[in-house]
Amino acid sequence: MIGLRDFSIKNKLVLMQVFTCVLVLGLCFAAFVITDINGYKDRKVASTVSVAQVIGSNSISAIQFLDNEVAEKTLFDLQKVEADVVNASIIDSRGNVFASFTRPDKPAYTFKPPFSDQHRFDDHYLYVYKNIRDQQDMIVGTVCLQVELTQLEAIKKQKFEIATVLLFVGITLAFLIAYLNQRYISTPLLNLVNVMKQIRENSDYSRHVEVSGKDEISILSSEFNNLMDEVAKSHQKKDEFIGIASHELKTPLTSVKLYLEALAKMKHEPLVHTFILKSKEGVKKLHNLILDLLDVSKIESGQLQLNHKELSIDELVDECIEDAQMNTVNHTILREGQPSNKIIHGDRDRLEQVLINLISNAAKYSPGGTNIAVETLASDDEITVTVKDHGIGIADSEHKKIFGRFYRAKDSNSVISGFGLGLYICSQIIKRHKGKIGVESEEGKGSTFYFTLPLSSRVIENNPAIDLKSKV
Ligand code: ADP
């Protein structure tokens, strides 16, 4: 069930304003109705008491001379002036009924003591008791009237109709006004959320939220911008550090690598030879990581230079397959489909880096060792290169994320080593070639990575700063 907390702020604001409006409207209306009804009752009591008083004065001598016929006539005549009187009685000083009258359409009512000056209401009637006093101010009897509150029902009905109309109009107006007003709060909040989303998706910390005004949301937006400035600065420092550190590490590591290669060519005892080969492997991994870190640093600082030339995509694919096959014995890398015979403009080394990366990932993430298929598909305006494996696959939710910096899919984290940089570098290289890169994959069922390159357009672009931060 959806709770109030699950409502959007926009809906909450509208609801709150409509609720407040209905509450205020309801209270005002209730006060108005109560005052109106009380006014009517007060007027009714006053007029009925006057009528009782007149009857009492007219009946003094009838009571004193025990002439109840006259008294009953007085009561009978009463309906001519006060049609709402349903029952009327004159009670003598001993509490006995001296004269009474009942309107023909209503049942008779027996008035109960005490017979003192008083009035009371029940749901439909007003009961008025008025003592009759003689010249010496002695009580000689009491006039009792039961009066129908016909107008009260009419007043209630009329007020209910007005309340319904007012409530409907009030809710509609409140809704419209609330809907227009909520934009002042929800729009800047939604803007903030959108910018946050974009920052998270593109890791572009230079994005700022527009700040207009001085209210709390503007303060929040401005603080958010300050925070992002800080994050951007610390990212920049981190990138600078990565760039400097990897550069400083590269030179001695290249020497170590060369010495190890030289050592590996010499004759050694088998155990020493094994150690040298293991060291070579480790140094190679380290060297590759440093190259990746240097690439990331170049991409981030806008210094990744591309050297575009015409090249045959078929030759490139064949060479990469050959190179990649040398690094794996458990997998067979196959060229599928027909050669495309297409010439493209691009940086050969960088495109080779992309393809080798995709093929080596296909091998790395297919631990069981199966076939890996590489295919080129040409259309009129672009060429698509696909690398298909039958490995561990990737969950849907990770498809976009794996092209981010240092991102590794959750399943591969603990099992297979890596830094989450390869695909990020690939995506940036392909982006710089004005192509697209992506993946189709299902967990446990293998993956097909692909990238496209435009055929017709000259993808040569020498301004490395363009689009460097944008992702796939
Ligand atoms: P690394 O392989 O060093 O972790 P990458 O950037 O090359 O970094 O890949 C990012 C993540 O994408 C990997 O950690 C892995 O989870 C996932 N991935 C890449 N290629 C494949 C593949 N062929 N099959 C399954 N997962 C893959």
Side-chain angles (χ1 to χ4, degrees):
M1 206 178 86
I2 298 179
L4 193 62
R5 274 175 176 274
D6 302 326
F7 278 36
S8 66
I9 286 194
K10 185 171 145 181
N11 289 342
K12 273 186 197 146
L13 285 170
V14 172
L15 262 184
M16 265 156 55
Q17 290 187 46
V18 171
F19 177 73
T20 312
C21 178
V22 169
L23 192 73
V24 171
L25 213 67
L27 285 176
C28 289
F29 195 77
F32 168 65
V33 171
I34 289 170
T35 315
D36 211 32
I37 289 175
N38 283 346
Y40 166 75
K41 283 182 172 177
D42 288 348
R43 285 192 305 279
K44 198 72 185 167
V45 170
S47 70
T48 311
V49 168
S50 309
V51 168
Q53 222 158 9
V54 172
I55 295 170
S57 320
N58 292 348
S59 310
I60 293 175
S61 36
I63 294 170
Q64 282 169 342
F65 294 104
L66 300 174
D67 189 352
N68 58 354
E69 253 180 55
V70 174
E72 275 189 358
K73 181 157 185 337
T74 310
L75 293 181
F76 183 79
D77 289 344
L78 183 61
Q79 60 184 315
K80 291 178 194 153
V81 278
E82 195 54 72
D84 288 342
V85 176
V86 174
N87 275 291
S89 290
I90 295 174
I91 310 291
D92 66 20
S93 52
R94 288 187 300 277
N96 299 322
V97 178
F98 176 70
S100 67
F101 159 78
T102 298
R103 212 169 73 184
D105 59 325
K106 292 283 176 184
Y109 176 78
T110 311
F111 294 95
K112 295 170 193 75
F115 298 109
S116 53
D117 287 349
Q118 57 164 307
H119 71 266
R120 67 179 170 82
F121 288 93
D122 68 12
D123 284 348
H124 304 287
Y125 299 104
L126 162 66
Y127 300 87
V128 168
Y129 290 41
K130 186 74 195 158
N131 291 144
I132 307 167
R133 293 170 187 274
D134 61 13
Q135 272 100 3
Q136 285 77 43
D137 207 26
M138 295 290 290
I139 297 174
V140 293
T142 307
V143 177
C144 303
L145 301 176
Q146 183 194 31
V147 181
E148 199 176 21
L149 299 170
T150 40
Q151 264 183 316
L152 187 64
E153 292 306 313
I155 289 175
K156 280 184 185 168
K157 194 166 169 268
Q158 185 200 31
K159 297 295 173 228
F160 179 76
E161 281 166 8
I162 295 175
T164 312
V165 174
L166 264 185
L167 213 64
F168 179 73
V169 173
I171 289 177
T172 313
L173 275 178
F175 182 82
L176 281 177
I177 294 168
Y179 187 78
L180 293 176
N181 282 346
Q182 57 77 27
R183 290 178 311 167
Y184 292 107
I185 296 175
S186 66
T187 308
L189 272 181
L190 286 176
N191 281 345
L192 185 62
V193 171
N194 279 340
V195 172
M196 282 175 168
K197 251 191 207 165
Q198 283 168 20
I199 289 175
R200 183 172 54 77
E201 279 169 9
N202 304 328
S203 307
D204 178 5
Y205 305 103
S206 62
R207 286 235 36 192
H208 278 92
V209 190
E210 199 185 313
V211 181
S212 52
K214 290 179 181 166
D215 63 4
E216 287 84 344
I217 296 178
S218 307
I219 296 171
L220 178 70
S221 305
S222 145
E223 284 304 318
F224 174 78
N225 288 342
N226 294 341
L227 188 70
M228 280 307 110
D229 287 343
E230 292 300 318
V231 174
K233 265 188 218 160
S234 72
H235 264 266
Q236 199 186 343
K237 276 189 191 152
K238 187 192 71 191
D239 288 340
E240 279 168 13
F241 170 76
I242 290 176
I244 294 167
S246 32
H247 193 77
E248 291 303 314
L249 284 169
K250 194 186 162 195
T251 321
L253 201 71
T254 310
S255 310
V256 175
K257 199 176 160 215
L258 289 175
Y259 284 126
L260 280 173
E261 270 164 16
L263 272 175
K265 282 178 195 156
M266 294 177 188
K267 267 205 157 199
H268 298 287
E269 280 178 33
L271 190 63
V272 175
H273 192 70
T274 313
F275 287 169
I276 292 171
L277 288 186
K278 290 257 176 227
S279 309
K280 248 183 82 182
E281 254 174 53
V283 167
K284 193 181 166 197
K285 273 191 186 168
L286 214 55
H287 193 247
N288 285 343
L289 171 64
I290 285 170
L291 290 182
D292 277 355
L293 288 173
L294 275 172
D295 280 347
V296 170
S297 167
K298 281 181 198 160
I299 290 167
E300 294 300 315
S301 59
Q303 284 165 7
L304 183 75
Q305 300 287 348
L306 294 187
N307 185 14
H308 285 265
K309 284 193 180 123
E310 286 196 338
L311 64 106
S312 154
I313 193 76
D314 294 319
E315 273 176 32
L316 180 79
V317 169
D318 289 339
E319 269 175 43
C320 289
I321 290 177
E322 211 174 295
D323 285 357
Q325 187 64 75
M326 285 204 286
N327 287 322
T328 173
V329 280
N330 296 331
H331 304 84
T332 309
I333 306 164
L334 304 166
R335 173 79 197 263
E336 283 199 344
Q338 297 300 314
S340 64
N341 300 323
K342 296 284 182 190
I343 299 294
I344 58 155
H345 291 266
D347 183 317
R348 195 177 207 292
D349 291 342
R350 290 298 179 183
L351 290 177
E352 189 179 312
Q353 185 182 350
V354 172
L355 198 48
I356 289 283
N357 207 308
L358 296 186
I359 298 174
S360 54
N361 270 357
K364 191 160 86 169
Y365 295 103
S366 309
T370 45
N371 288 350
I372 295 166
V374 184
E375 194 174 0
T376 49
L377 296 159
S379 71
D380 286 347
D381 48 4
E382 66 179 17
I383 182 127
T384 307
V385 181
T386 62
V387 178
K388 183 174 180 180
D389 66 56
H390 303 279
I392 60 172
I394 305 158
D396 259 9
S397 55
E398 311 264 26
H399 286 189
K400 268 196 164 181
K401 294 182 189 164
I402 52 171
F403 293 94
R405 246 191 338 167
F406 295 111
Y407 190 85
R408 307 203 67 219
K410 287 181 191 76
D411 287 347
S412 58
N413 262 344
S414 51
V415 194
I416 301 157
S417 69
F419 285 92
L421 288 177
L423 288 181
Y424 170 65
I425 297 169
C426 291
S427 71
Q428 294 300 312
I429 293 172
I430 294 300
K431 190 96 188 167
R432 290 280 303 278
H433 282 81
K434 303 221 185 311
K436 285 187 204 121
I437 188 166
V439 63
E440 282 162 12
S441 179
E442 219 181 300
E443 250 179 316
K445 293 195 177 164
S447 314
T448 302
F449 278 83
Y450 64 86
F451 63 87
T452 65
L453 294 168
L455 281 177
S456 50
S457 68
R458 303 235 146 208
V459 291
I460 301 166
E461 38 101 1
N462 292 317
N463 180 1
I466 295 173
D467 255 348
L468 273 182
K469 299 245 166 145
S470 54
K471 298 262 160 50
V472 195

